[in-house]
Amino acid sequence: ESAWEGFESEAEVAEWLKKKRPERKTPAEKNKGKRRKEAARQLKWAAQMKKKDKQARQVETIAKQVEREAKARARAANTAPAGQNAEDSEEGDINYQLLRRRKFGKHSLPEPPLELVLPDELRDSLRLLKPEGNALSDRFRNIMLRGKIETRKPITQPRKKRRTLTEKWTYKDFTVPGKV
């Protein structure tokens, strides 16, 4: 009844009117917030670096293990009879020189990229696993391997157009007033 007449009793005051309105922050409060945000950012960065270091250590151990296996394979290939080592090679160990039909171009064939998935990037399901590598570059390398196109050294820094500098002589073409 009283709300219709334009005034309210203290018991009828709305909840949102009682809330304390935010005041302007003092410089000290602003600085405190900045320090808190910076500390949180530093902690997050440290955690990320720790995670990357752990992964890098894992990559080094995996690389050493692969290197040991390659040396063992090489020793086994040297002891195996001639002609048997090419046929008995594992599926992952491909001799690209045997696959190559004919050499086309003076450069050697570029090495295939090492496609390696870190344990952190692995998913629970194989359906969720994203394919590694680039289909275009793989196809390009395969065409070079088959000898359809010339092997070339990749251009890392393209040539820039040469600019020539010419001096303009228009500033010398002037006449002094009063002199002939």
Side-chain angles (χ1 to χ4, degrees):
E1 174 185 333
S2 58
W4 290 103
E5 295 169 5
F7 61 92
E8 296 177 0
S9 64
E10 211 162 296
E12 297 172 357
V13 174
E15 216 36 63
W16 60 275
L17 282 174
K18 289 182 185 176
K19 278 187 184 173
K20 186 179 178 186
R21 292 193 181 105
E23 301 289 324
R24 284 187 178 221
K25 287 186 177 179
T26 63
E29 289 172 329
K30 288 179 186 176
N31 291 339
K32 188 177 180 182
K34 285 179 187 175
R35 279 195 302 271
R36 194 178 320 118
K37 278 186 183 178
E38 182 64 24
R41 191 183 64 75
Q42 288 283 350
L43 280 172
K44 187 177 178 183
W45 184 80
Q48 283 179 343
M49 293 310 292
K50 192 174 182 182
K51 196 175 178 182
K52 280 185 182 179
D53 287 341
K54 185 178 177 184
Q55 286 182 352
R57 276 187 259 119
Q58 284 180 340
V59 167
E60 289 171 6
T61 56
I62 291 169
K64 286 178 184 175
Q65 183 181 359
V66 167
E67 194 174 310
R68 273 187 260 128
E69 289 174 2
K71 285 181 182 176
R73 265 194 238 115
R75 270 190 251 115
N78 288 340
T79 58
Q84 191 178 10
N85 57 1
E87 288 82 26
D88 293 341
S89 66
E90 292 179 21
E91 192 176 317
D93 186 27
I94 300 170
N95 188 354
Y96 290 107
Q97 296 304 325
L98 290 176
L99 282 177
R100 195 166 185 181
R101 300 241 170 85
R102 62 182 176 270
K103 189 167 182 175
F104 186 40
K106 62 180 182 179
H107 295 287
S108 62
L109 193 66
E111 286 295 318
L114 181 66
E115 294 174 2
L116 153 77
V117 181
L118 295 172
D120 203 33
E121 297 169 350
L122 285 175
R123 301 288 182 141
D124 297 336
S125 168
L126 286 176
R127 271 205 231 142
L128 299 173
L129 190 65
K130 291 189 177 160
E132 292 291 317
N134 186 346
L136 179 69
S137 60
D138 291 345
R139 182 89 170 127
F140 184 68
R141 188 180 178 285
N142 196 11
I143 293 171
M144 281 194 289
L145 176 75
R146 287 184 287 154
K148 302 292 182 192
I149 59 172
E150 172 184 11
T151 54
R152 292 186 175 191
K153 197 168 62 174
I155 299 170
T156 54
Q157 193 171 10
R159 290 183 187 158
K160 291 182 181 174
K161 183 183 171 187
R162 268 203 181 151
R163 292 178 177 240
T164 55
L165 198 69
T166 57
E167 185 180 355
K168 303 290 181 186
W169 285 66
T170 55
Y171 70 94
K172 293 185 178 181
D173 298 335
F174 65 92
T175 56
V176 179
K179 290 196 175 186
V180 178

